[in-house]
């Protein structure tokens, strides 16, 4: 199966447990690239992009944040559209978090979008989702303690937990056609395999039907998601602990099961009850190793007297 290596899977679990404790949960469930999630028409204009950003904020539960949207041309020129929500705050020095997102001292944000990104709806939506995820991370102080190399991938993971996993997975594998042929680009820092695994965890954790997510994934992410769902089913007990026992997940106190593909399941049909998962096996072993209360030893003399008493009672009853 084409899944991330186990150390990377454990990293995703560790970081997801921390993010959930910091409030990274969906406000509107799983966000899909359809008219239900994004009802406003889009014509590529600055106002349309601003409305799209405001919509992503609303879906993440962050509409209360004031955001100014700016466009950056290839020549480096900038153009502002004003605030995405609320009234424009005063200007000032920007405290950069990710490259495209800045936070002013008054708490308002500035988001920069490249004019080239506007031409591709998948790339644009991914950029805006990552920007809003960055705002969440900033507001939750979730960047504290992260290394510089972790900030971007953890931002992607936060976006998945906020409900944007389908959009991010599609944005991780963008096919761009040009004169030299088609090329694959990624608008995310996490890979397609990592994002689809995180999406499968999300669906299992929040009770979302994975088939709904799969229907809105592009071909390559959809294929990877099918493998990730198999992994999530095999490790459902571990995934549940992201909310039930985050400390245990962060301390690496869990065992991962080897996911079984559909071919293996097909040829194992009729073999009887499935084998326990690694997590179930470990739990059973722990239960078997628990110390039981030893039975009290019966005193031989006391046992002899009790036997004689029972015999005497039996003789009395027989003589009646």
């Amino acid at each position: 199966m084409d899944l991330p290596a186990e150390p990377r899977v454990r990293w995703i679990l560790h970081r997801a447990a921390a993010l959930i404790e910091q409030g990274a949960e969906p406000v509107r469930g799983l966000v899909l690239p359809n008219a239900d999630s994004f009802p406003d028409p889009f014509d590529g204009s600055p106002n349309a992009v601003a409305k799209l950003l405001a919509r992503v904020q609303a879906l993440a539960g962050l509409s209360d944040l004031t955001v100014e949207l700016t466009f950056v041309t290839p020549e480096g020129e900038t153009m502002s559209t004003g605030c995405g929500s609320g009234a424009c705050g005063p200007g000032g020095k920007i405290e950069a978090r990710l490259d495209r997102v800045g936070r002013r001292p008054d708490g308002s944000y500035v988001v920069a979008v490249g004019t080239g990104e506007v031409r591709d709806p998948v790339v644009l939506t991914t950029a805006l989702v990552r920007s809003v995820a960055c705002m969440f991370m900033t507001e939750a102080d979730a960047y504290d303690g992260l290394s510089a190399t972790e900030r971007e991938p953890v931002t992607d993971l936060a976006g998945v937990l906020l409900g944007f996993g389908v959009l991010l997975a599609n944005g991780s594998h963008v096919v761009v056609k040009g004169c030299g042929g088609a090329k694959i680009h990624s608008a995310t820092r996490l890979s397609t395999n990592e994002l689809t695994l995180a999406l499968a965890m999300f669906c299992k954790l929040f009770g979302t039907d994975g088939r709904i997510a799969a229907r809105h994934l592009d071909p390559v992410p959809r294929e990877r998601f099918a493998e990730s769902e198999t992994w999530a089913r095999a490790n459902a007990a571990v995934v549940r602990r992201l909310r039930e026992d985050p400390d245990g997940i962060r301390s690496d106190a869990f065992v991962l099961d080897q996911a079984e593909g559909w071919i293996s399941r097909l040829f194992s049909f009729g073999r009887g009850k499935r084998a326990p998962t690694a997590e179930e096996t470990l739990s059973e072993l722990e239960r078997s190793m628990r110390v039981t209360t030893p039975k009290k030893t019966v005193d031989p003399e006391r046992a002899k007297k009790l036997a004689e008493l029972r015999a005497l009672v039996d003789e009395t009853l027989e003589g009646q």
Side-chain angles (χ1 to χ4, degrees), residues 14-58:
H14 297 165
R15 291 306 178 196
L19 286 169
I20 289 171
E21 280 198 309
Q22 291 163 329
E25 294 196 4
V27 174
R28 304 288 182 87
L30 182 65
V31 178
L32 301 172
N34 58 21
D36 291 334
S37 296
F38 300 97
D40 296 323
F42 184 80
D43 58 9
S45 65
N47 285 337
V49 177
K51 286 184 178 180
L52 182 59
L53 174 58
R55 180 61 179 169
V56 174
Q57 282 184 251

Side-chain angles (χ1 to χ4, degrees), residues 146-182:
L146 292 181
S147 65
T149 57
E150 286 186 302
R151 292 162 66 90
E152 296 257 11
V154 173
T155 301
D156 285 339
L157 187 56
V160 174
L161 293 172
L162 291 171
F164 300 101
V166 171
L167 305 182
L168 289 167
N170 286 339
S172 70
H173 191 276
V174 181
V175 180
V176 179
K177 296 180 180 179
C179 298

Side-chain angles (χ1 to χ4, degrees), residues 121-131 167-168 170-172 174 187-188:
V122 174
V123 173
L124 174 62
T125 306
T126 303
L128 297 182
V129 165
R130 297 187 80 245
S131 297
L167 305 182
L168 289 167
N170 286 339
S172 70
V174 181
T188 63

Side-chain angles (χ1 to χ4, degrees), residues 56-135:
V56 174
Q57 282 184 251
L59 292 170
L62 296 173
S63 293
D64 58 321
L65 297 180
T66 299
V67 182
E68 180 181 351
L69 181 65
T70 63
F71 293 88
V72 181
T73 67
E75 294 77 23
E77 298 177 354
T78 61
M79 176 182 66
S80 173
T81 64
C83 296
S85 64
C88 289
K93 182 181 178 181
I94 295 175
E95 300 172 358
R97 286 290 188 177
L98 297 180
D99 289 342
R100 69 173 68 248
V101 183
R103 187 174 187 271
R104 292 192 174 106
D106 66 349
S108 64
Y109 288 85
V110 178
V111 174
V113 174
T115 53
E117 293 175 317
V118 178
R119 302 189 188 100
D120 190 308
V122 174
V123 173
L124 174 62
T125 306
T126 303
L128 297 182
V129 165
R130 297 187 80 245
S131 297
V132 171
C134 175
M135 296 177 206

Side-chain angles (χ1 to χ4, degrees), residues 184-232:
I184 306 300
H185 293 269
S186 177
T188 63
R189 187 58 58 91
L190 288 179
S191 68
T192 304
N193 292 350
E194 292 166 340
L195 282 166
T196 52
L197 182 64
L199 176 58
M201 292 180 188
F202 172 94
C203 291
K204 180 64 68 175
L205 190 61
F206 296 107
T208 301
D209 189 344
R211 292 172 296 182
I212 297 175
R215 283 199 294 269
H216 291 84
L217 288 170
D218 292 336
V220 171
R222 187 187 308 129
E223 178 184 344
R224 306 292 170 78
F225 179 67
E227 298 173 349
S228 297
E229 274 203 301
T230 301
W231 181 94

